[in-house]
Amino acid sequence: MRKYIAVISSIIFLVLFLLIGCDKEEKVPAYLSINSMSLTSNYLVVGTASHNIKDAWVYIDGQVLGVYELPARFPVLSEGRHSLNIAAGIFVDGVSATRTKYPFYNFYDTIIDFVAGQTLALPAPIPVKYFEGQTYTWYEDFEGTGFTFIANPSSDVQIIGTTDDVFEGTGSAKFTLTSDDPKFDGQMQDGYAIVTQNSTFLEL
């Protein structure tokens, strides 16, 4: 008899659990779609607009929603008008395990009207630019007759100017290694102080 009572009690508990669970209506999310991001820059001041933006760091009303590798489509449980802020993310040292917001780009800011069940596609690409007032300690684009990046005395080969394989502008630089001359060792022509309490990046 006790066996039957235990079975009946288990069935009743299961039915009640299912009924209670069915009463909870799941909220239908809106969706946000971000395809890519782009950098706008003044070439004469900060150099190339080339970038390697990998992620979008997304904030809703100042609260972090998540970090999404681009392109991305993801749910948002907000409805109605909200502020949307997006920061450009990179791989530190090119390593995907070390993601971070790039500290020199500004946020993309806008107001979004989220509607449950609908996908909002942001303009592609989303534009970002460098923050105003930053300092650029060293800038070399190999466009002039002399370079600030030179070979050390211990280098087997020299760095030379060329108009071949130009990435941007009209000039570039190259060094050629061979089995007889297998090493290039280069340095900045002048020394530069690095402010350690701030972020410092060397971009190539």
Side-chain angles (χ1 to χ4, degrees), residues 1-17:
M1 185 67 176
R2 292 179 180 176
K3 180 179 179 180
Y4 291 121
I5 292 174
V7 172
I8 293 171
S9 299
S10 298
I11 293 174
I12 293 173
F13 176 79
L14 179 61
V15 171
L16 290 174
F17 177 80

PDB file of all heavy atoms in Angstrom, residues 1-17:
ATOM      1  N   MET A   1       0.836  -1.194   0.000  1.00  0.00           N
ATOM      2  CA  MET A   1       0.000   0.000   0.000  1.00  0.00           C
ATOM      3  C   MET A   1       0.880   1.256   0.000  1.00  0.00           C
ATOM      4  O   MET A   1       0.620   2.212  -0.716  1.00  0.00           O
ATOM      5  CB  MET A   1      -0.914  -0.016   1.233  1.00  0.00           C
ATOM      6  CG  MET A   1      -1.912   1.132   1.257  1.00  0.00           C
ATOM      7  SD  MET A   1      -3.113   0.952  -0.077  1.00  0.00           S
ATOM      8  CE  MET A   1      -4.171   2.348   0.298  1.00  0.00           C
ATOM      9  N   ARG A   2       1.936   1.219   0.827  1.00  0.00           N
ATOM     10  CA  ARG A   2       2.831   2.367   0.871  1.00  0.00           C
ATOM     11  C   ARG A   2       3.492   2.619  -0.481  1.00  0.00           C
ATOM     12  O   ARG A   2       3.750   3.749  -0.873  1.00  0.00           O
ATOM     13  CB  ARG A   2       3.904   2.145   1.935  1.00  0.00           C
ATOM     14  CG  ARG A   2       3.344   2.165   3.361  1.00  0.00           C
ATOM     15  CD  ARG A   2       4.455   1.922   4.354  1.00  0.00           C
ATOM     16  NE  ARG A   2       3.943   1.941   5.716  1.00  0.00           N
ATOM     17  CZ  ARG A   2       4.683   1.674   6.783  1.00  0.00           C
ATOM     18  NH1 ARG A   2       5.975   1.363   6.618  1.00  0.00           N
ATOM     19  NH2 ARG A   2       4.162   1.716   8.001  1.00  0.00           N
ATOM     20  N   LYS A   3       3.775   1.515  -1.193  1.00  0.00           N
ATOM     21  CA  LYS A   3       4.388   1.631  -2.516  1.00  0.00           C
ATOM     22  C   LYS A   3       3.476   2.388  -3.460  1.00  0.00           C
ATOM     23  O   LYS A   3       3.911   3.277  -4.210  1.00  0.00           O
ATOM     24  CB  LYS A   3       4.709   0.245  -3.059  1.00  0.00           C
ATOM     25  CG  LYS A   3       5.356   0.260  -4.441  1.00  0.00           C
ATOM     26  CD  LYS A   3       5.667  -1.146  -4.893  1.00  0.00           C
ATOM     27  CE  LYS A   3       6.293  -1.128  -6.286  1.00  0.00           C
ATOM     28  NZ  LYS A   3       6.602  -2.489  -6.764  1.00  0.00           N
ATOM     29  N   TYR A   4       2.192   2.058  -3.458  1.00  0.00           N
ATOM     30  CA  TYR A   4       1.237   2.725  -4.333  1.00  0.00           C
ATOM     31  C   TYR A   4       1.073   4.192  -3.945  1.00  0.00           C
ATOM     32  O   TYR A   4       0.950   5.076  -4.806  1.00  0.00           O
ATOM     33  CB  TYR A   4      -0.119   2.016  -4.284  1.00  0.00           C
ATOM     34  CG  TYR A   4      -0.086   0.641  -4.918  1.00  0.00           C
ATOM     35  CD1 TYR A   4      -0.413  -0.489  -4.178  1.00  0.00           C
ATOM     36  CD2 TYR A   4       0.280   0.484  -6.252  1.00  0.00           C
ATOM     37  CE1 TYR A   4      -0.373  -1.753  -4.741  1.00  0.00           C
ATOM     38  CE2 TYR A   4       0.312  -0.791  -6.828  1.00  0.00           C
ATOM     39  CZ  TYR A   4      -0.002  -1.895  -6.074  1.00  0.00           C
ATOM     40  OH  TYR A   4       0.031  -3.142  -6.631  1.00  0.00           O
ATOM     41  N   ILE A   5       1.057   4.457  -2.621  1.00  0.00           N
ATOM     42  CA  ILE A   5       0.928   5.843  -2.168  1.00  0.00           C
ATOM     43  C   ILE A   5       2.119   6.671  -2.642  1.00  0.00           C
ATOM     44  O   ILE A   5       1.981   7.815  -3.094  1.00  0.00           O
ATOM     45  CB  ILE A   5       0.809   5.890  -0.630  1.00  0.00           C
ATOM     46  CG1 ILE A   5      -0.524   5.278  -0.188  1.00  0.00           C
ATOM     47  CG2 ILE A   5       0.918   7.335  -0.133  1.00  0.00           C
ATOM     48  CD1 ILE A   5      -0.668   5.155   1.309  1.00  0.00           C
ATOM     49  N   ALA A   6       3.326   6.086  -2.573  1.00  0.00           N
ATOM     50  CA  ALA A   6       4.535   6.800  -3.008  1.00  0.00           C
ATOM     51  C   ALA A   6       4.490   7.096  -4.500  1.00  0.00           C
ATOM     52  O   ALA A   6       4.858   8.192  -4.946  1.00  0.00           O
ATOM     53  CB  ALA A   6       5.762   5.972  -2.667  1.00  0.00           C
ATOM     54  N   VAL A   7       4.006   6.119  -5.292  1.00  0.00           N
ATOM     55  CA  VAL A   7       3.906   6.317  -6.739  1.00  0.00           C
ATOM     56  C   VAL A   7       2.890   7.399  -7.069  1.00  0.00           C
ATOM     57  O   VAL A   7       3.127   8.292  -7.896  1.00  0.00           O
ATOM     58  CB  VAL A   7       3.548   4.990  -7.439  1.00  0.00           C
ATOM     59  CG1 VAL A   7       3.246   5.242  -8.918  1.00  0.00           C
ATOM     60  CG2 VAL A   7       4.663   3.986  -7.288  1.00  0.00           C
ATOM     61  N   ILE A   8       1.720   7.339  -6.408  1.00  0.00           N
ATOM     62  CA  ILE A   8       0.662   8.326  -6.650  1.00  0.00           C
ATOM     63  C   ILE A   8       1.147   9.723  -6.246  1.00  0.00           C
ATOM     64  O   ILE A   8       0.926  10.710  -6.961  1.00  0.00           O
ATOM     65  CB  ILE A   8      -0.620   7.951  -5.885  1.00  0.00           C
ATOM     66  CG1 ILE A   8      -1.211   6.665  -6.474  1.00  0.00           C
ATOM     67  CG2 ILE A   8      -1.643   9.082  -5.962  1.00  0.00           C
ATOM     68  CD1 ILE A   8      -2.353   6.099  -5.659  1.00  0.00           C
ATOM     69  N   SER A   9       1.873   9.810  -5.117  1.00  0.00           N
ATOM     70  CA  SER A   9       2.396  11.105  -4.667  1.00  0.00           C
ATOM     71  C   SER A   9       3.389  11.669  -5.665  1.00  0.00           C
ATOM     72  O   SER A   9       3.406  12.878  -5.960  1.00  0.00           O
ATOM     73  CB  SER A   9       3.059  10.944  -3.301  1.00  0.00           C
ATOM     74  OG  SER A   9       2.130  10.509  -2.344  1.00  0.00           O
ATOM     75  N   SER A  10       4.222  10.794  -6.229  1.00  0.00           N
ATOM     76  CA  SER A  10       5.210  11.247  -7.216  1.00  0.00           C
ATOM     77  C   SER A  10       4.534  11.775  -8.470  1.00  0.00           C
ATOM     78  O   SER A  10       4.939  12.786  -9.047  1.00  0.00           O
ATOM     79  CB  SER A  10       6.157  10.098  -7.578  1.00  0.00           C
ATOM     80  OG  SER A  10       6.872   9.669  -6.444  1.00  0.00           O
ATOM     81  N   ILE A  11       3.458  11.082  -8.889  1.00  0.00           N
ATOM     82  CA  ILE A  11       2.732  11.513 -10.093  1.00  0.00           C
ATOM     83  C   ILE A  11       2.069  12.857  -9.853  1.00  0.00           C
ATOM     84  O   ILE A  11       2.116  13.764 -10.703  1.00  0.00           O
ATOM     85  CB  ILE A  11       1.688  10.452 -10.492  1.00  0.00           C
ATOM     86  CG1 ILE A  11       2.406   9.169 -10.951  1.00  0.00           C
ATOM     87  CG2 ILE A  11       0.780  10.988 -11.592  1.00  0.00           C
ATOM     88  CD1 ILE A  11       1.469   8.014 -11.235  1.00  0.00           C
ATOM     89  N   ILE A  12       1.447  13.016  -8.675  1.00  0.00           N
ATOM     90  CA  ILE A  12       0.794  14.285  -8.354  1.00  0.00           C
ATOM     91  C   ILE A  12       1.810  15.422  -8.324  1.00  0.00           C
ATOM     92  O   ILE A  12       1.580  16.524  -8.851  1.00  0.00           O
ATOM     93  CB  ILE A  12       0.060  14.183  -7.003  1.00  0.00           C
ATOM     94  CG1 ILE A  12      -1.124  13.203  -7.123  1.00  0.00           C
ATOM     95  CG2 ILE A  12      -0.430  15.549  -6.538  1.00  0.00           C
ATOM     96  CD1 ILE A  12      -1.791  12.914  -5.805  1.00  0.00           C
ATOM     97  N   PHE A  13       2.978  15.180  -7.719  1.00  0.00           N
ATOM     98  CA  PHE A  13       4.028  16.189  -7.638  1.00  0.00           C
ATOM     99  C   PHE A  13       4.507  16.591  -9.034  1.00  0.00           C
ATOM    100  O   PHE A  13       4.696  17.765  -9.334  1.00  0.00           O
ATOM    101  CB  PHE A  13       5.194  15.651  -6.816  1.00  0.00           C
ATOM    102  CG  PHE A  13       6.372  16.599  -6.759  1.00  0.00           C
ATOM    103  CD1 PHE A  13       6.357  17.691  -5.900  1.00  0.00           C
ATOM    104  CD2 PHE A  13       7.482  16.402  -7.576  1.00  0.00           C
ATOM    105  CE1 PHE A  13       7.439  18.558  -5.849  1.00  0.00           C
ATOM    106  CE2 PHE A  13       8.546  17.269  -7.526  1.00  0.00           C
ATOM    107  CZ  PHE A  13       8.526  18.352  -6.661  1.00  0.00           C
ATOM    108  N   LEU A  14       4.671  15.593  -9.915  1.00  0.00           N
ATOM    109  CA  LEU A  14       5.131  15.862 -11.278  1.00  0.00           C
ATOM    110  C   LEU A  14       4.115  16.694 -12.046  1.00  0.00           C
ATOM    111  O   LEU A  14       4.459  17.650 -12.742  1.00  0.00           O
ATOM    112  CB  LEU A  14       5.406  14.542 -12.008  1.00  0.00           C
ATOM    113  CG  LEU A  14       5.864  14.650 -13.462  1.00  0.00           C
ATOM    114  CD1 LEU A  14       7.179  15.427 -13.544  1.00  0.00           C
ATOM    115  CD2 LEU A  14       6.027  13.261 -14.075  1.00  0.00           C
ATOM    116  N   VAL A  15       2.813  16.342 -11.878  1.00  0.00           N
ATOM    117  CA  VAL A  15       1.756  17.085 -12.575  1.00  0.00           C
ATOM    118  C   VAL A  15       1.720  18.529 -12.090  1.00  0.00           C
ATOM    119  O   VAL A  15       1.616  19.473 -12.881  1.00  0.00           O
ATOM    120  CB  VAL A  15       0.392  16.400 -12.370  1.00  0.00           C
ATOM    121  CG1 VAL A  15      -0.733  17.286 -12.902  1.00  0.00           C
ATOM    122  CG2 VAL A  15       0.360  15.052 -13.070  1.00  0.00           C
ATOM    123  N   LEU A  16       1.796  18.714 -10.758  1.00  0.00           N
ATOM    124  CA  LEU A  16       1.786  20.065 -10.216  1.00  0.00           C
ATOM    125  C   LEU A  16       2.994  20.869 -10.696  1.00  0.00           C
ATOM    126  O   LEU A  16       2.883  22.061 -11.020  1.00  0.00           O
ATOM    127  CB  LEU A  16       1.771  20.009  -8.686  1.00  0.00           C
ATOM    128  CG  LEU A  16       0.470  19.515  -8.045  1.00  0.00           C
ATOM    129  CD1 LEU A  16       0.650  19.376  -6.532  1.00  0.00           C
ATOM    130  CD2 LEU A  16      -0.676  20.466  -8.361  1.00  0.00           C
ATOM    131  N   PHE A  17       4.157  20.212 -10.744  1.00  0.00           N
ATOM    132  CA  PHE A  17       5.376  20.885 -11.202  1.00  0.00           C
ATOM    133  C   PHE A  17       5.227  21.349 -12.657  1.00  0.00           C
ATOM    134  O   PHE A  17       5.595  22.466 -13.013  1.00  0.00           O
ATOM    135  CB  PHE A  17       6.570  19.944 -11.070  1.00  0.00           C
ATOM    136  CG  PHE A  17       7.863  20.515 -11.588  1.00  0.00           C
ATOM    137  CD1 PHE A  17       8.594  21.398 -10.813  1.00  0.00           C
ATOM    138  CD2 PHE A  17       8.337  20.177 -12.848  1.00  0.00           C
ATOM    139  CE1 PHE A  17       9.788  21.929 -11.277  1.00  0.00           C
ATOM    140  CE2 PHE A  17       9.515  20.710 -13.320  1.00  0.00           C
ATOM    141  CZ  PHE A  17      10.244  21.589 -12.529  1.00  0.00           C
TER     142      PHE A  17
END
